[in-house]
């Protein structure tokens, strides 16, 4: 019965066989999935949560399908045996047994007839490119061919349309709202950036080559909550805005500007949602390939230049060898600078040259380019709250999924990603104080005009999350006080709250489920 219950819970949650399920009682305590569960009601609902999936599992093959079929047959036999036993003892079959049979029949029908078992977190194809995403049960980690072709078609249809002057000006501001735009429209806006900075004319970039480049970039960003194509656009749009706000066109040459914009476009290509610490601790292929040295950032660079190696998508193909060499060197430096383990090193170097900063000095320019892509990469809190906060939710989803996977695989758990220890406001207050402010303030020291554009919004964000943190703490204290009051009014000694007993036994038991 317990085994059957767990299958039904997995089916209800659309979870795969390697997913971890957590069940919470109305008080928010984790409890064990067992036949002893008390009935709930609309006013006291249980909460079922899929915590993590095994993204290293292979696609559903014949052996696994047979195993699932065998388990299903075994489950049916147990149900039949249970039905006969109940019928013998009570004289009738309870409605709950009929319902269980119905659920098993439905499960079998899905298993046998649905081609894409996305509701189960699995896929039948043996093609390795369709490995399921650890985050979305209904989407593959890599974009499907159909998904890409649909977006490509829309992009090409819109690419010749004239973008209004109002949108062009809005695109130059940090207040730009990315959530209003679809992927195909985003590619059109990226095309506008290359055009309005005069890169098309200056470097003889053919429009069809730029379109192919942007499409290949889109195709190589994955279906993950945060480090996806929309994040690529946000970083690029902020970089574009900073170029205009600081009048960098009069301070840097076109090759540096092209380097910075293209670095932003490519900076997270093929990110799978797991950071460098995970890559190194899990000894992934990337960590082994790059000897634990910025494995993700090195990979992003490599994918970028794989795209640029193809003639049809090489926006640099009409450059001289010297120009290409300079741009390649700059892109690599910029993308590698987005590894946060190098944050203090790069920031301290920038601070040391600020008093004597010279735009004609090559080393000074390179450090500024690295600072600009770092600022752009973590600039969400400089945006309006209605734009920024959804991005924080996406980031936390990605973080929590990594820590779940680390627990599942017995790896060191990244502290700031642990869903059991980190809250939304606590994740931001420290980050803003100790990472954002020091970085943004130094850039504003070189460009005072940025104070109102990126410093003031971040101050408001800090106030917002500080108040949220205080509110959560008050709520926690009130809940604790309420529980103490409720316990003092409980029934006489000797009686026990069975729900609390289940809660205490739950965590270890739930691991087995």
């Amino acid at each position: 019965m317990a085994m059957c219950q767990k299958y039904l819970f997995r089916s209800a949650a659309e979870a795969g066989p390697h997913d971890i399920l957590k069940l919470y009682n109305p008080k928010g305590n984790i409890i064990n999935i067992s036949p002893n569960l008390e009935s709930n009601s609309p006013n006291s609902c249980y909460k079922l949560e899929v915590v993590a999936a095994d993204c290293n599992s292979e696609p559903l093959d014949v052996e696994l399908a047979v195993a699932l079929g065998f388990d299903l047959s075994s489950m049916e036999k147990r149900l039949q045996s249970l039905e006969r036993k109940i019928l013998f003892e009570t004289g009738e079959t309870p409605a709950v047994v009929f319902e269980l049979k119905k659920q098993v029949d439905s499960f079998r029908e899905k298993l046998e007839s649905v081609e894409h078992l996305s509701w189960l977190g699995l896929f039948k194809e043996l093609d390795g490119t369709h490995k399921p995403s650890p985050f979305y049960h209904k989407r593959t980690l890599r974009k499907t061919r159909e998904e890409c072709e649909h977006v490509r078609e829309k992009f090409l249809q819109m690419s010749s349309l004239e973008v209004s002057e109002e949108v062009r000006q809005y695109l130059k501001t940090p207040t730009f709202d990315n959530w209003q735009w679809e992927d195909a429209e985003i590619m059109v806006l990226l095309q506008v950036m290359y055009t309005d900075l005069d890169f098309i004319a200056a470097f003889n970039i053919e429009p069809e080559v730029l379109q192919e480049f942007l499409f290949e970039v889109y195709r190589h960003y994955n279906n993950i909550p945060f480090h996806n194509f929309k994040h690529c656009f946000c970083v690029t749009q902020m970089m574009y805005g900073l170029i205009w706000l600081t009048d960098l066109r009069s301070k840097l040459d076109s090759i540096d500007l092209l380097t910075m914009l293209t670095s932003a476009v490519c900076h997270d290509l093929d990110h799978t949602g797991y950071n460098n610490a995970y890559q190194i601790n899990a000894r992934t292929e990337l960590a082994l390939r790059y000897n634990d040295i910025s494995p993700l950032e090195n990979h992003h660079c490599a994918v970028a230049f794989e795209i640029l190696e193809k003639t049809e998508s090489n926006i640099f193909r009409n450059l001289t060898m010297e120009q290409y060499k300079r741009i390649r060197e700059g892109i690599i430096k910029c993308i590698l600078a987005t590894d946060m383990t190098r944050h203090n090193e790069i920031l301290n170097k920038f601070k040391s040259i600020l008093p004597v900063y010279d735009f004609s000095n090559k080393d000074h320019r390179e450090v500024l380019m690295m600072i600009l892509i770092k600022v752009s990469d973590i600039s969400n809190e400089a945006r309006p709250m209605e734009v920024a906060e959804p991005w924080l939710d996406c980031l936390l989803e990605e973080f929590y999924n990594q820590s779940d996977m680390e627990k599942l695989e017995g790896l060191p758990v990244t502290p700031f990603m642990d869903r059991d220890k980190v809250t939304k406001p606590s994740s931001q207050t420290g980050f803003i104080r100790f990472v954002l402010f020091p970085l943004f303030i130094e850039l504003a020291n070189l460009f005072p005009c940025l104070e109102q554009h990126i410093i003031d919004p971040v101050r408001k964000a800090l106030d917002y999350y500080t108040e949220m943190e205080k509110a959560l703490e008050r709520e926690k204290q009130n809940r604790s006080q309420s529980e103490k009051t409720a316990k003092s009014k409980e029934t006489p000694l000797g009686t026990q709250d069975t729900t609390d007993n289940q809660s205490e036994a739950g965590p270890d038991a739930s691991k087995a489920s």
Side-chain angles (χ1 to χ4, degrees):
M1 190 62 156
M3 179 67 73
C4 178
Q5 231 175 355
K6 288 170 184 175
Y7 271 104
L8 294 179
F9 272 106
R10 288 188 182 281
S11 179
E14 298 190 345
H18 300 288
D19 288 346
I20 294 176
L21 295 185
K22 282 187 179 180
L23 187 66
Y24 299 87
N25 65 17
K27 293 182 179 180
N29 298 319
I30 187 169
I31 59 176
N32 188 26
I33 298 175
S34 75
N36 299 322
L37 280 176
E38 293 183 357
S39 299
N40 61 348
S41 69
N43 296 324
S44 59
C45 297
Y46 290 118
K47 177 186 174 187
L48 184 63
E49 183 179 304
V50 181
V51 176
D54 181 2
C55 69
N56 293 319
S57 61
E58 293 300 316
L60 183 63
D61 56 16
V62 176
E63 185 179 345
L64 182 53
V66 170
L68 279 171
F70 175 79
D71 284 345
L72 201 60
S73 300
S74 174
M75 188 161 46
E76 283 183 312
K77 288 177 183 177
R78 294 179 67 182
L79 267 178
Q80 290 167 0
S81 173
L82 180 63
E83 185 179 9
R84 285 195 297 270
K85 184 176 180 181
I86 293 174
L87 187 60
F88 177 78
E89 292 181 355
T90 66
E92 62 178 350
T93 303
V96 67
V97 176
F98 283 116
E99 181 60 28
L100 286 172
K101 287 177 68 178
K102 183 179 175 183
Q103 295 270 11
V104 172
D105 289 340
S106 172
F107 187 88
R108 174 183 286 284
E109 183 182 353
K110 269 188 172 182
L111 190 64
E112 292 176 348
S113 63
V114 179
E115 180 180 1
H116 290 275
L117 300 183
S118 54
W119 51 275
L120 192 60
L122 298 164
F123 288 78
K124 280 186 179 179
E125 289 100 345
L126 298 179
D127 182 357
T129 60
H130 290 284
K131 186 177 285 189
S133 162
F135 307 104
Y136 299 129
H137 291 288
K138 299 183 186 298
R139 297 185 73 185
T140 55
L141 175 64
R142 314 286 183 203
K143 292 184 174 80
T144 63
R145 180 179 298 176
E146 294 78 8
E147 185 180 359
C148 290
E149 287 306 315
H150 175 69
V151 172
R152 180 195 183 96
E153 187 176 338
K154 288 182 69 175
F155 169 47
L156 293 178
Q157 287 173 353
M158 292 187 293
S159 61
S160 58
L161 298 177
E162 187 66 28
V163 176
S164 71
E165 183 60 26
E166 183 183 8
V167 171
R168 287 176 185 269
Q169 292 306 316
Y170 182 33
L171 194 59
K172 296 175 182 177
T173 67
T175 58
F176 191 89
D177 184 357
N178 68 278
W179 301 112
Q180 298 179 16
W181 305 82
E182 297 178 3
D183 287 344
E185 295 169 327
I186 282 174
M187 281 191 269
V188 172
L189 295 177
L190 289 171
Q191 186 175 263
V192 166
M193 295 180 202
Y194 276 83
T195 303
D196 282 6
L197 286 171
D198 295 329
F199 295 154
I200 307 300
F203 301 106
N204 192 19
I205 302 174
E206 299 96 333
E208 62 275 11
V209 175
L210 177 60
Q211 289 162 11
E212 187 63 27
F213 168 74
L214 293 174
F215 171 71
E216 283 297 310
V217 165
Y218 158 77
R219 195 169 69 82
H220 283 84
Y221 275 93
N222 294 320
N223 292 325
I224 54 179
F226 185 86
H227 292 95
N228 50 41
F229 183 61
K230 277 188 169 60
H231 168 68
C232 145
F233 170 74
C234 283
V235 175
T236 308
Q237 187 270 324
M238 184 60 74
M239 176 70 83
Y240 179 72
L242 291 173
I243 288 171
W244 287 103
L245 289 170
T246 59
D247 191 25
L248 276 181
R249 297 180 74 197
S250 68
K251 301 175 177 70
L252 301 178
D253 65 21
S254 293
I255 287 188
D256 284 340
L257 299 180
L258 177 62
T259 297
M260 289 192 297
L261 198 76
T262 307
S263 298
V265 168
C266 299
H267 83 284
D268 271 331
L269 281 167
D270 198 35
H271 200 301
T272 56
Y274 296 93
N275 74 358
N276 282 332
Y278 175 88
Q279 304 291 335
I280 293 167
N281 290 329
R283 302 177 187 174
T284 65
E285 180 188 346
L286 288 185
L288 294 175
R289 182 185 305 162
Y290 295 111
N291 303 310
D292 295 351
I293 301 170
S294 302
L296 281 175
E297 290 73 25
N298 274 296
H299 180 58
H300 305 325
C301 284
V303 175
F305 285 101
E306 283 174 12
I307 293 172
L308 291 164
E309 275 299 302
K310 298 175 184 175
T311 304
E312 64 272 18
S313 56
N314 183 5
I315 57 174
F316 304 142
R317 69 185 190 179
N318 294 322
L319 271 60
T320 65
M321 185 61 70
E322 192 58 38
Q323 286 175 321
Y324 176 79
K325 183 179 177 183
R326 180 177 157 190
I327 286 182
R328 174 172 161 80
E329 180 183 334
I331 288 176
I332 292 170
K333 284 182 178 177
C334 282
I335 294 180
L336 291 182
T338 62
D339 182 353
M340 288 302 292
T341 62
R342 297 185 58 205
H343 178 79
N344 288 334
E345 166 209 334
I346 295 169
L347 180 57
N348 288 336
K349 189 171 183 180
F350 184 61
K351 288 165 70 174
S352 71
I353 63 175
L354 259 181
V356 292
Y357 192 87
D358 180 2
F359 280 99
S360 65
N361 184 306
K362 178 177 179 290
D363 291 335
H364 289 195
R365 290 198 309 270
E366 285 181 352
V367 177
L368 175 61
M369 289 163 68
M370 289 191 285
I371 288 291
L372 285 167
I373 195 167
K374 283 175 62 56
V375 167
S376 301
D377 191 20
I378 57 175
S379 62
N380 282 330
E381 294 306 336
R383 299 182 184 276
M385 190 55 64
E386 63 272 17
V387 179
E389 191 167 9
W391 274 117
L392 176 56
D393 293 331
C394 293
L395 182 62
L396 288 175
E397 183 182 353
E398 202 169 286
F399 280 179
Y400 291 160
N401 276 284
Q402 173 169 320
S403 66
D404 291 338
M405 189 61 70
E406 288 167 337
K407 293 172 186 178
L408 185 69
E409 296 179 351
L411 300 172
V413 179
T414 307
F416 62 86
M417 296 186 178
D418 193 338
R419 71 171 72 239
D420 297 322
K421 297 177 181 177
V422 175
T423 64
K424 184 173 177 175
S426 71
S427 72
Q428 283 307 89
T429 51
F431 181 70
I432 291 172
R433 285 194 184 100
F434 303 113
V435 179
L436 281 191
F437 267 143
L439 178 64
F440 284 22
I441 287 170
E442 293 305 329
L443 184 61
N445 284 336
L446 183 62
F447 301 110
C449 62
L450 293 181
E451 178 85 19
Q452 61 175 312
H453 294 291
I454 64 173
I455 305 292
D456 290 348
V458 171
R459 285 198 181 99
K460 291 177 183 175
L462 180 59
D463 291 342
Y464 175 78
Y465 287 114
T466 300
E467 286 305 309
M468 185 188 291
E469 193 168 24
K470 290 176 182 175
L472 281 179
E473 186 59 35
R474 287 194 298 269
E475 183 185 336
K476 183 179 177 182
Q477 290 173 355
N478 291 340
R479 193 186 306 123
S480 176
Q481 186 60 43
S482 298
E483 288 174 0
K484 288 179 182 177
T485 303
K487 283 186 178 179
S488 68
K489 295 179 181 177
E490 279 180 355
T491 50
L493 291 171
T495 61
Q496 290 181 313
D497 185 332
T498 56
T499 305
D500 285 342
N501 286 342
Q502 286 178 345
S503 174
E504 290 171 8
D508 289 337
S510 68
K511 290 176 186 174
S513 70

